[in-house]
Amino acid sequence: MSDGMSSYGLGELMAPWLLVWLCALLALTYEGSAKGGIRLTTIVVMVFVLLGSAGEVADAPAPGEFLDAALRIALGLPVVVCLFLPEATDWFERER
């Protein structure tokens, strides 16, 4: 790697983003019978991503890793807040 980051380091940076994409897929593609379970699962996974990112912000050895974790927090907090809104409940409980 040109900046000295190992493939292990790149994997550590990519893993939380994979969870974020998993949350997006859960929220957008589900069967109507799942109702609130998918919403709750999405909230739980996003909270784990946020908690892990908060720890990374505190221990970030490089500016790039700090920025990556801070970006996950800045984008993840509004998602969790929006998932608690009544409109989100209505969207997840809609009939297909």
Side-chain angles (χ1 to χ4, degrees), residues 54-69:
E56 287 180 30
V57 165
D59 299 336
E65 294 175 21
F66 174 82
L67 182 63
D68 181 58

Side-chain angles (χ1 to χ4, degrees), residues 1 4-14:
M1 304 286 141
M5 183 172 284
S6 68
S7 59
Y8 178 76
L10 287 174
E12 281 187 351
L13 289 177
M14 280 182 50

Side-chain angles (χ1 to χ4, degrees), residues 15-71:
W17 285 107
L18 292 175
L19 288 174
V20 170
W21 284 108
L22 173 69
C23 287
L25 288 174
L26 283 173
L28 295 175
T29 59
Y30 74 99
E31 296 299 320
S33 63
K35 303 222 182 245
I38 296 296
R39 187 177 128 229
L40 181 64
T41 303
T42 305
I43 290 170
V44 168
V45 171
M46 282 304 297
V47 166
F48 281 128
V49 168
L50 290 173
L51 291 175
S53 298
E56 287 180 30
V57 165
D59 299 336
E65 294 175 21
F66 174 82
L67 182 63
D68 181 58
L71 186 61

Side-chain angles (χ1 to χ4, degrees), residues 62-80:
E65 294 175 21
F66 174 82
L67 182 63
D68 181 58
L71 186 61
R72 283 193 306 267
I73 291 170
L75 294 175
L77 276 176
V79 169
V80 172

